[in-house]
Amino acid sequence: EIIDDLGLMLKVECKHGTSYMPLTSELCGGYDETKMYEEQNVTVNFKGATTTFPIYICDPMPFTDVSPSAWYYNYVSNVYYNGIMTGLNQTTFGPDKPLARAQFSVILHRLNGAPEMYYIWQFPDVAPGMWYTDAILWANSTGVVNGYSDTGLFGPGDNINREQMAVMMYRYAKYQDYDVSQKADFSQFVDASRVNSFAEEAM
């Protein structure tokens, strides 16, 4: 593709305001359409002003159930191209499908570089060699997940609910030493009383 076909827009700011203009090959230098899946720097020259920015050329997402007009398109694109979520199969992302506890563990594991784990028996329902085993063992070793306190099981195939997800994300943020001191009052929601005690702080 020539750069004209990529749909890139240049944001131009000056004292009179902000305007946007499409990038064309005549304005750009350094673009190489053969460099697929590789970051490259493109330099734009316009009326004596120069700016350089990185671009990453890749094939369109293969998911037939993720429309470019959907509100979540950019979010799906972000997690797909960063290798955080790969979809249900080669052509289906499943944006309206429930998420399992094992799947969410895998997402957090990939966010952390997907380190390999030595198998240690931790949960009766997490066998060695499964697609989620390393992720669950890693998440447990970092304190992100503890499994079910009443059964000792992890429940890899159980659908994760919003409060469980909030707890896992909260623990992951603490593991990453992010600032989690800011709190909000969620009592405004009509179902606030249904939040379990283990999830109150995270929520």
Side-chain angles (χ1 to χ4, degrees):
E1 284 188 285
I2 60 174
I3 204 165
D4 306 58
D5 297 330
L6 298 181
L8 297 175
M9 301 292 289
L10 180 66
K11 181 180 180 181
V12 182
E13 294 180 324
C14 68
K15 63 181 180 180
H16 303 294
T18 301
S19 62
Y20 296 85
M21 58 182 291
L23 291 186
T24 63
S25 296
E26 290 78 14
L27 296 174
C28 300
Y31 172 66
D32 184 349
E33 69 274 8
T34 65
K35 289 185 177 180
M36 293 290 290
Y37 301 99
E38 180 181 343
E39 186 175 288
Q40 57 179 298
N41 290 318
V42 173
T43 300
V44 180
N45 296 286
F46 180 69
K47 293 188 176 181
T50 301
T51 186
T52 300
F53 60 92
I55 63 173
Y56 186 86
I57 307 300
C58 49
D59 290 322
M61 282 194 300
F63 305 125
T64 58
D65 58 350
V66 180
S67 168
S69 62
W71 63 267
Y72 47 77
Y73 180 85
N74 287 338
Y75 302 101
V76 174
S77 177
N78 183 281
V79 295
Y80 172 72
Y81 286 121
N82 283 288
I84 299 169
M85 297 180 74
T86 58
L88 302 178
N89 55 50
Q90 291 184 343
T91 59
T92 305
F93 184 80
D96 58 347
K97 302 296 183 185
L99 194 68
R101 286 165 57 83
Q103 290 173 312
F104 194 62
S105 298
V106 168
I107 290 171
L108 295 179
H109 185 229
R110 288 173 178 162
L111 275 173
N112 215 60
E116 292 185 13
M117 301 293 295
Y118 178 78
Y119 182 77
I120 299 176
W121 189 91
Q122 194 69 36
F123 301 105
D125 55 351
V126 179
M130 304 300 291
W131 57 269
Y132 50 73
T133 302
D134 276 5
I136 292 174
L137 293 179
W138 168 83
N140 180 248
S141 71
T142 60
V144 173
V145 296
N146 297 318
Y148 295 125
S149 59
D150 55 343
T151 65
L153 300 174
F154 180 78
D158 295 349
N159 290 338
I160 190 170
N161 59 37
R162 290 164 66 90
E163 70 173 6
Q164 291 172 344
M165 191 178 295
V167 168
M168 291 174 71
M169 292 177 69
Y170 178 67
R171 290 173 179 166
Y172 180 75
K174 293 179 72 173
Y175 166 71
Q176 294 287 359
D177 290 326
Y178 297 152
D179 183 3
V180 294
S181 60
Q182 186 173 346
K183 306 292 187 207
D185 180 10
F186 62 86
S187 62
Q188 59 181 306
F189 299 109
V190 295
D191 56 353
S193 62
R194 293 169 54 193
V195 174
N196 286 297
S197 57
F198 78 87
E200 286 182 355
E201 183 178 2
M203 293 288 283

